[in-house]
Structures are given as C-alpha cells and as structure tokens.
Amino acid sequence: MRALKKARKLIENKSGKPAADILSRLVLALESDAPFQLSDLYSLDYDDFNLAMEVMAEWRLDRYYTSKAVLLDLSLQLNLQQQAAASSNTRPS
C-alpha cells in the first residue's frame, strides 16, 4: 500500500490523535509550501515517523510525475496546433 493511502487511513482512523494531527499538517504544508516544524516529526512513534518519511518521498515523486504530465499535455497541444497550422497553410485558397 502506498504511503499516501496509509497516511489517509491513519488520519481517518486516528482523528484527534497527535499522529493524525502531525501527518495532516505535514500534508497541508507539502501541498501549500507552508512552513512545517520538522521537530514535530520526532514526537511520532517509529512507525508513524517512517510513514511521514515515505509520504514526503512519494509526494516529491508524485510532484515530478504531475509536472511531467503537464509538460506532456502542453507539448501535445502545441504539436496539434502546429499540425493544424501546417494543414491550413497547404490548403488551396
């Protein structure tokens, strides 16, 4: 199971517990580029701390894939525009 899914389950199942609060704030900070106190991670138990590390690793990887998908979409749109322009230039007037 992916770390993001594990974190979601932990936050759902342990709502109101310190681990859920810390992981929730971590996710919000990652999404919004807001500050996050790394020292809060040290209050987590070993398994939850490792989960937080996995969340950060997956978040970074997913961000790369999102950027890649956006770049691919933009490249495809540009290619289609160029093809449409080329075909309209070759039509007889």
Side-chain angles (χ1 to χ4, degrees):
M1 183 183 322
R2 290 179 43 137
L4 298 177
K5 187 174 181 181
K6 287 180 188 177
R8 180 181 53 82
K9 287 187 176 210
L10 185 144
I11 292 168
E12 288 174 346
N13 296 331
K14 295 185 177 181
S15 179
K17 303 282 184 183
D21 177 58
I22 291 169
L23 282 173
S24 179
R25 287 188 291 113
L26 174 63
V27 168
L28 292 173
L30 289 169
E31 178 60 25
S32 65
D33 292 328
F36 179 82
Q37 288 288 83
L38 290 177
S39 59
D40 290 348
L41 297 175
Y42 290 112
S43 65
L44 296 172
D45 67 28
Y46 185 78
D47 290 335
D48 291 339
F49 178 85
N50 282 331
L51 177 58
M53 297 296 105
E54 291 174 24
V55 164
M56 286 190 284
E58 282 186 17
W59 201 275
R60 180 182 168 116
L61 188 61
D62 283 350
R63 180 174 269 181
Y64 165 76
Y65 285 126
T66 300
S67 296
K68 184 179 173 183
V70 169
L71 177 60
L72 181 60
D73 183 52
L74 180 62
S75 298
L76 179 60
Q77 288 178 24
L78 180 62
N79 185 274
L80 291 173
Q81 288 174 354
Q82 289 172 341
Q83 287 177 0
S87 68
S88 68
N89 289 339
T90 57
R91 289 185 191 154
S93 301

